[in-house]
Amino acid sequence: MIRMFVRHAVRDFAAWKRAYDAFDEERKGMGVTGDAVFQDVDNPTMVTAWHDFEDLDTARTFRDSDRLKSVMGEAGVLGEPIVWFATPA
């Protein structure tokens, strides 16, 4: 199992969350097997999310997909997200 963490700023959390939720079925079709979203307690426009995948290649393909970049832009993501991958220890 690979977990991909993503941290980024958003223009409006409520609008971003609606777009995120609307992308759920498509995310699953792209290999996401689990996910969660967290909102920064001191800055509600900062979001951290994680997504689980069966393998690293699938996770990287998802991260690099034009569709994901498009959805993120439409959802109001600001700047470049910080992305990292981890495995259970």
Side-chain angles (χ1 to χ4, degrees):
M1 192 244 350
I2 297 293
R3 181 161 286 173
M4 180 180 85
F5 291 89
V6 181
R7 183 164 172 81
H8 55 67
V10 297
R11 188 172 297 112
D12 175 280
F13 180 80
W16 175 86
K17 185 69 164 72
R18 282 190 301 275
Y20 181 88
D21 291 344
F23 188 51
D24 187 54
E25 286 303 314
E26 196 169 347
R27 257 194 324 274
K28 289 177 183 173
M30 298 170 80
V32 175
T33 61
D35 63 281
V37 171
F38 301 86
Q39 188 177 24
D40 193 299
V41 296
D42 294 321
N43 180 353
T45 64
M46 286 303 297
V47 175
T48 301
W50 60 256
H51 298 87
D52 286 342
F53 299 86
E54 292 295 322
D55 58 71
L56 185 56
D57 287 339
T58 303
R60 287 181 171 155
T61 298
F62 177 79
R63 176 200 61 193
D64 297 338
S65 73
D66 289 337
R67 178 64 181 141
L68 176 62
K69 291 172 187 170
S70 174
V71 169
M72 289 176 73
E74 293 167 9
V77 171
L78 303 173
E80 283 294 312
I82 298 169
V83 178
W84 68 98
F85 299 100
T87 57

